Amino acid sequence: MKNNVIEIDHLSTYFYTEEGAVKAVNDVSLRIREGETVCIVGESGCGKSVTAMSIMGLVEEPSGKVVDGRIHFEGRDLLRIDKHELRQIRGNDIAMIFQEPMSSLNPVLTIGMQVMEPLMEHQKLSKKEARKRAIELVELVGISRPEQIVDSYPHELSGGMLQRIMIAIAISCNPKLLIADEPTTALDVTIQAQILDMLRQIKEESNTSILLITHDLGVVAEIADYVIVMYSGKIVEEGDVVELFEHPLHPYTQGLLRSKPIIGQRQDELYSIPGQVPNPLELKESCYFYDRCEHCMSICRTQQPVLHSRAGRQKVACWLYEEGVSHG
Amino acid sequence: MAELTIAASEGITPQQNAPLLEVKDLKTYFPIKSGLFNRTVGYVKAVDGISLTLQAGETFGLVGESGSGKSTVGRSIIRLTEKTSGEVLYKGNDLYNMPEKELRHLRPKMQLIFQDPYSSLNPRVRVGDAIGEALLNHGLAPKEETRDRVLDVLQACGLSSYHIDRFPHEFSGGQRQRIGIARALILNPDLIIADEPVSALDVSIQAQIINLFRKLQMTRGLTYLFISHDLSVVEHLCSRIGVMYLGTMMETAPRDELFTHPLHPYTKALLSAVPVPIPRLKRERIVLKGDIPNPANPPAGCKFHTRCPYATDICRQLVPEFRHMGSEHYVACHLV
C-alpha cells in the first residue's frame, strides 16, 4: 500500500458576508496517495476551488477563514505552521496551476524570469544555472524554440502555451503534490488533450501526486484514479474512478452523469436535475440535495447524512444506503 | 393587433422555395491598423469564404475552436458586424442590399442569443421590461398587451410569473439564459442564432437549457444556427454540422454522417479530443501538435497543414476545394 502524501481532516473554510457566514468548505476530509491523481468534481459554488485554496494557504482573511481542520503534509500541519515555513513548502513541495494562465503570470516579467524564480528561491540555483534549467523545462512541456520563448513576455504567447509555462513553473522543483484548479477549462479541446497528456506523463515519470479540480466529468474519466464529488461544501460521494462512474450511489452523482451529453448516445431528451443549487446562506440541518432529489424521504429534510464506506474505497453520504431508515 | 402583424411582415416578398437562410461565400475581414498614420497594414480574415444553407425548421451546428470565426459568421449574418463580401439571403432577399426600413422590419425575425446573458441584461431594468422592450420598440404589440405577452413567453421558457418584476441579479446563470431566450422568443422569430448559449452553465443546468431549446423548436417550428465549441452538445441538438478552422469551412455533413464517418483530419482530431465520461473507454487519440496559427497570418495552402498529421506537399501549396462526397457530405481536403 502506498503512503499518503497529504491527509486532510475535517477541513472547514467559511466566508463572512453581510448576510451571514457561507460554509464554502464544510467538514471535508481527504487523502491523496503517492503517485495518485485525485479529482474533485462539482458544479460552481460547491467548494472545490476553496478546498485547494485552503491547502495552499491562499484563503484571504478576514473575509474568509479556515475555521477548523488539519492538513498533514510530511509530518507538519499546514494550518499551524508559520508563514516562513509555508513559503518553503509552497511552490517547492506543493505547486499549483490555476485556470487562467494569463492572469497568473506577471505581464512585465519575461517567461524565463518567472520560470527561474522558484528555482533560485527553493533550489538555490545560480542565475545562470536557473536559466539553463528554465530552458530545459520549457522544452520539456513541449514548446519549440525554448531559447527564444524564455525571453518573451506572456502577452506574446497563446493561452495553451501559457498554461504549459504554468506547468513548467509548477514542476520546476519536482513537487510531491501538484494542485491543478480547472487547468484546461479556458482552453480549446485540442489543446486540452495536449495538457491532459502532459499531466499524465508528469505523474508517470516523476510519481507526482495530482489533485485536479474540475467541473468536467469527461476530464475526470480521462485522468483520475480517485474521484471526490462535492455539493454545497460537502463531499457527497467518493471512490475509485471506474467504480464511481459505473456504479454511482448518490442521486446527485447519478444525476450529474446522466445529464452529460455523450457523443453516440443521443437521447430525445437529456436527463436534467430539477431545480438549482441551494443558497449557501440558507442551508439547514438536512441533506443539502433533498429538494432536487427524486428519492427524497422525510429523514432527508431534517437530518444530514454522514459519509460512510460502502464497497471497496467507495463512500457515500446518503440516507438511502443507511440501514434502519424507512424508505418512503 | 392584426394590423400590427401585417405591418411587420410587409417589408419583404419571400421568394418561393427559397431556403430560410442562405450564406454565399461570406467574407468578413478586420483591418489591422498600425504606424503613425494608422494605416491598414493587413487583415484578420475572421471569416474567409463561408457558404451555408439553412432550411426552415432545421438546426445547423457550427463548431470550431477559439479564433475559428464561428461567432463572426453569426454576427455577420444579422449585420451586427458588417461583411466584407459575399451574400446573405433571408428567404431569398439580400440582407445587405435592402433599404434600412425593410431591414428593420426583418430584424425581429432573426434573433441572437449570447453566451453570457448577464452582461447583455441591464442590471437596473426589471426582467419583464427587458423582455417586453423589444416588442414595444418594434411596435409589435400595444403597451396594454405587452405584459401578457411577456408572461406567456416567461412560461414557455420555464420561468414563473412572479419573476416578471425581478432584477437580473436575482437570477442564477441558468435562469438568466432562460431570460435571454425569452427575450429572443417574444418577437416570434423564424431564425435563432445561438452563440455558445450553454457554455457558461453547469452540467445539470446545461441539460435543462438544451432540453428547452429542443422543446421550443418542436412547439414553435424555429430554425437554429447553433454556434458551439462543444461537439457533444452539438450532436444532441443539430441535424447538420459544419466544422470551421481559421475562418474556413473544413467539413459539413448531416449529423450522423459526420459523427460516424468524419473525413477531414481536423474533424477526426476534434472528435477524438472530446473527453468522454467513461473511464474504461480506450480510444485512439489523435493529439494535434502546436497551437492554432495566428488568423492575421494564416498558413498558405490548406490552413490546417501546420497541425495536420498527414500533410503532404500539395497541402502546403494549394487551397483544397470544398467538394461534395455524396450524401450531403462536403469536405475541403486534398487527401480524401
Side-chain angles (χ1 to χ4, degrees):
Chain A
M1 178 130 164
K2 285 180 175 168
N3 294 329
N4 290 331
V5 170
I6 194 165
E7 295 180 5
I8 299 170
D9 291 314
H10 307 293
L11 179 75
S12 291
T13 305
Y14 294 178
F15 287 93
Y16 301 97
T17 68
E18 278 176 23
E19 290 107 278
V22 172
K23 298 177 178 177
V25 177
N26 189 352
D27 194 11
V28 162
S29 302
L30 64 95
R31 272 141 187 62
I32 302 172
R33 294 175 184 171
E34 238 171 62
E36 185 180 49
T37 303
V38 173
C39 281
I40 303 184
V41 63
E43 300 181 279
S44 17
C46 72
K48 53 192 193 301
S49 291
V50 181
T51 305
M53 308 266 275
S54 307
I55 298 172
M56 292 299 274
L58 294 175
V59 176
E60 250 179 82
E61 295 193 37
S63 60
K65 195 170 188 287
V66 179
V67 292
D68 196 16
R70 284 168 195 284
I71 301 177
H72 292 286
F73 180 80
E74 306 211 306
R76 280 178 288 188
D77 183 350
L78 297 188
L79 296 176
R80 284 166 188 80
I81 56 177
D82 61 40
K83 270 200 179 131
H84 180 70
E85 257 184 294
L86 190 61
R87 261 192 82 110
Q88 287 182 334
I89 293 173
R90 263 199 313 227
N92 190 18
D93 295 318
I94 306 180
M96 186 152 175
I97 307 167
F98 297 90
Q99 176 174 349
E100 287 286 340
M102 198 50 141
S103 52
S104 332
L105 288 168
N106 189 334
V108 298
L109 290 181
T110 60
I111 298 293
M113 283 300 295
Q114 302 188 59
V115 184
M116 284 154 67
E117 194 188 337
L119 291 166
M120 284 153 48
E121 166 83 25
H122 296 298
Q123 312 269 311
K124 310 287 178 230
L125 296 187
S126 71
K127 204 166 176 183
K128 211 175 154 194
E129 290 167 330
R131 187 180 157 88
K132 197 168 151 259
R133 180 81 186 121
I135 293 173
E136 285 169 16
L137 282 163
V138 170
E139 194 170 11
L140 190 74
V141 292
I143 295 178
S144 49
R145 301 182 294 119
E147 294 86 357
Q148 281 133 51
I149 294 293
V150 289
D151 291 323
S152 52
Y153 290 89
H155 74 268
E156 299 174 87
L157 306 186
S158 69
M161 278 167 99
L162 289 176
Q163 196 58 291
R164 285 160 205 266
I165 297 294
M166 287 300 292
I167 293 177
I169 296 172
I171 62 170
S172 61
C173 300
N174 293 316
K176 298 192 175 67
L177 175 64
L178 182 64
I179 302 177
D181 187 359
E182 303 265 14
T184 58
T185 307
L187 307 175
D188 282 315
V189 271
T190 58
I191 311 296
Q192 167 169 287
Q194 296 170 353
I195 300 288
L196 291 180
D197 266 10
M198 184 169 299
L199 288 175
R200 221 175 277 135
Q201 199 187 334
I202 290 166
K203 178 188 129 175
E204 272 161 28
E205 282 170 10
S206 35
N207 206 29
T208 309
S209 307
I210 298 175
L211 177 64
L212 189 122
I213 289 154
T214 180
H215 70 283
D216 187 336
L217 291 160
V219 170
V220 175
E222 295 256 325
I223 200 166
D225 298 312
Y226 193 76
V227 186
I228 293 170
V229 184
M230 283 184 77
Y231 188 79
S232 289
K234 290 196 94 65
I235 296 176
V236 293
E237 182 165 4
E238 57 178 271
D240 288 326
V241 65
V242 176
E243 270 174 60
L244 190 118
F245 274 70
E246 289 181 0
H247 307 287
L249 295 174
H250 200 285
Y252 176 63
T253 318
Q254 293 169 352
L256 264 190
L257 284 166
R258 279 172 70 194
S259 18
K260 169 109 182 144
I262 301 176
I263 291 174
Q265 300 183 10
R266 194 170 61 246
Q267 301 139 359
D268 279 337
E269 197 179 337
L270 270 178
Y271 176 82
S272 66
I273 304 174
Q276 47 191 307
V277 180
N279 182 341
L281 289 162
E282 289 164 9
L283 294 175
K284 293 186 189 70
E285 173 71 22
S286 68
C287 169
Y288 294 157
F289 188 62
Y290 82 88
D291 59 343
R292 302 178 75 187
C293 181
E294 46 191 45
H295 307 287
C296 180
M297 303 174 288
S298 52
I299 190 169
C300 306
R301 297 167 190 276
T302 53
Q303 264 183 294
Q304 193 149 57
V306 182
L307 197 65
H308 278 150
S309 292
R310 295 289 136 194
R313 279 176 89 189
Q314 202 166 359
K315 294 179 188 173
V316 64
C318 178
W319 288 115
L320 283 176
Y321 304 96
E322 299 293 334
E323 279 172 30
V325 172
S326 68
H327 290 215
Chain B
M1 181 65 217
E3 285 160 24
L4 287 161
T5 327
I6 294 164
S9 57
E10 190 175 51
I12 57 154
T13 40
Q15 307 281 307
Q16 286 296 312
N17 304 325
L20 185 75
L21 182 79
E22 215 178 341
V23 176
K24 289 182 187 166
D25 199 26
L26 180 73
K27 291 182 182 165
T28 307
Y29 296 172
F30 297 107
I32 306 167
K33 309 251 183 188
S34 160
L36 183 59
F37 300 106
N38 220 13
R39 274 188 314 146
T40 302
V41 293
Y43 289 95
V44 174
K45 299 179 176 176
V47 179
D48 198 10
I50 293 282
S51 302
L52 52 93
T53 310
L54 261 81
Q55 301 295 343
E58 79 165 335
T59 304
F60 189 90
L62 203 52
V63 293
E65 298 182 279
S66 37
S68 63
K70 55 191 191 301
S71 295
T72 312
V73 171
R75 296 176 65 91
S76 298
I77 288 173
I78 57 166
R79 295 189 64 178
L80 268 184
T81 303
E82 293 285 309
K83 63 156 195 192
T84 306
S85 71
E87 276 179 77
V88 180
L89 306 176
Y90 175 82
K91 291 186 178 165
N93 295 273
D94 192 343
L95 290 180
Y96 277 90
N97 198 4
M98 64 169 60
E100 192 67 23
K101 205 177 148 201
E102 271 181 43
L103 183 68
R104 207 179 133 73
H105 278 308
L106 270 185
R107 284 222 180 268
K109 293 288 160 203
M110 294 169 280
Q111 289 296 307
L112 190 66
I113 294 171
F114 298 94
Q115 174 173 356
D116 178 7
Y118 195 58
S119 56
S120 44
L121 287 169
N122 185 336
R124 298 188 190 187
V125 175
R126 289 178 202 275
V127 161
D129 296 336
I131 297 173
E133 189 182 29
L135 212 50
L136 292 172
N137 257 336
H138 283 285
L140 292 175
K143 205 158 186 193
E144 317 80 74
E145 253 179 57
T146 311
R147 201 173 165 91
D148 288 340
R149 297 272 299 267
V150 172
L151 286 172
D152 279 352
V153 81
L154 277 177
Q155 200 198 0
C157 293
L159 292 163
S160 308
S161 48
Y162 63 82
H163 286 134
I164 194 167
D165 292 320
R166 302 248 169 127
F167 289 98
H169 75 264
E170 297 175 72
F171 292 86
S172 66
Q175 286 177 319
R176 276 181 215 146
Q177 196 51 284
R178 288 174 193 273
I179 296 170
I181 296 171
R183 227 180 157 190
L185 219 55
I186 198 162
L187 295 169
N188 260 327
D190 293 326
L191 172 69
I192 287 191
I193 298 175
D195 191 357
E196 300 270 13
V198 298
S199 308
L201 307 175
D202 278 318
V203 214
S204 70
I205 308 300
Q206 186 178 318
Q208 295 174 3
I209 301 294
I210 292 174
N211 288 338
L212 176 64
F213 268 107
R214 248 215 201 127
K215 191 189 96 191
L216 292 173
Q217 182 163 45
M218 281 192 292
T219 52
R220 295 175 178 240
L222 296 169
T223 309
Y224 293 135
L225 177 63
F226 198 89
I227 299 165
S228 177
H229 71 283
D230 189 336
L231 282 159
S232 51
V233 171
V234 165
E235 197 233 6
H236 265 74
L237 269 172
C238 302
S239 46
R240 272 193 313 136
I241 292 157
V243 181
M244 281 183 74
Y245 186 78
L246 279 178
T248 309
M249 194 72 89
M250 292 296 177
E251 184 166 7
T252 58
R255 170 186 51 206
D256 292 334
E257 172 71 18
L258 188 89
F259 281 92
T260 47
H261 302 113
L263 292 175
H264 201 286
Y266 178 61
T267 314
K268 288 182 188 169
L270 210 53
L271 276 171
S272 81
V274 178
V276 178
I278 305 169
R280 270 190 215 270
L281 191 74
K282 290 279 172 282
R283 288 180 304 162
E284 211 177 302
R285 269 259 288 270
I286 309 166
V287 175
L288 292 179
K289 290 196 183 69
D291 281 308
I292 302 173
N294 183 352
N297 185 19
C302 171
K303 286 180 178 170
F304 184 59
H305 84 250
T306 51
R307 299 175 79 198
C308 182
Y310 316 107
T312 60
D313 281 342
I314 186 166
C315 307
R316 289 181 258 278
Q317 288 151 12
L318 264 182
V319 179
E321 257 179 82
F322 201 57
R323 289 178 296 152
H324 188 210
M325 307 301 291
S327 46
E328 289 302 297
H329 199 149
Y330 293 83
V331 66
C333 179
H334 290 300
L335 305 171
V336 177

